[in-house]
Amino acid sequence: MTEHGDALDADLRVPSCERCPALVESRSRIVDGVGPTDADLLFVGEGPGATEDERGEPFVGRSGDVLDEALRDAGLARADVRITNCVRCRPPDNRDPTAEELANCRGHLEGEIGRLDPELIVTLGKVPSEHLLDRSVAITSESGGVVDARIAGASRRVLLSVHPAATLYDRSQRDGFFESIARAGELSGVGERDEDGGDGQSRLGEY
């Protein structure tokens, strides 16, 4: 990454925050987004879990393994996308973040989205989908759908997806999740630039 890229990434980090007492108490660190600061494809999850809190990176536990597998199947590399969360601190007992906690962290998320200006945002699960769209979402039935939403001062394309953890508890969700990630690569154009320099979209016909 260039020096400019390093500086931009530093701008997207949250060095300290004390707004949410329960999260300050339960976290061991603030978990910032990872990936290129000019990524065309941005994944937004709910918040860090135990493994993410321990390692300081989003989606590195079992859910992250599923996401990585789906990315590979879609001809995408994790290094080509950016991954972040609605809240950057682990909620106690892995509960859902509260509306107040989501609101407290919204500025950090919008700042990241605004600086990235991605071609496509993928919401991983019900919480980030409802948070960014500001409406109730029936995520199982709406997964795979693409909507336009006003986020961080601009109209942005958002692809809704179930959380990768859903595939661990309900195998019937797996095919739909993998199809959503493949569609995300296609819509964002990221899948065209795979590691071999070939057409990453060539495998999309399998889905």
Side-chain angles (χ1 to χ4, degrees), residues 34-93:
V34 295
T37 54
D38 59 353
D40 287 328
L41 183 53
L42 171 67
F43 291 90
V44 180
E46 177 179 324
T51 307
E52 290 77 15
D53 178 72
E54 179 183 329
R55 292 173 54 182
E57 184 174 336
F59 285 92
V60 289
R62 290 178 67 204
S63 296
D65 292 340
V66 176
L67 178 58
D68 288 345
E69 185 182 351
L71 288 170
R72 285 194 300 270
D73 270 29
L76 303 170
R78 189 179 175 108
D80 293 332
V81 305
R82 190 163 180 95
I83 306 173
T84 194
N85 280 308
C86 292
V87 298
R88 299 185 180 223
C89 302
R90 181 194 179 193
D93 302 317

Side-chain angles (χ1 to χ4, degrees), residues 168-186:
L168 298 171
Y169 307 120
D170 180 359
R171 295 286 294 185
S172 70
Q173 301 280 354
R174 184 177 171 87
D175 287 349
F177 176 72
F178 275 60
E179 287 165 7
S180 294
I181 301 307
R183 189 177 187 204
E186 183 179 37

Side-chain angles (χ1 to χ4, degrees), residues 37-42 110-121 151-152 154-156:
T37 54
D38 59 353
D40 287 328
L41 183 53
L42 171 67
E110 290 206 355
E112 188 169 18
I113 292 171
R115 294 296 290 271
L116 243 67
D117 193 24
E119 290 291 324
L120 182 71
I121 298 170
I151 305 167
S155 179
R156 306 189 187 274

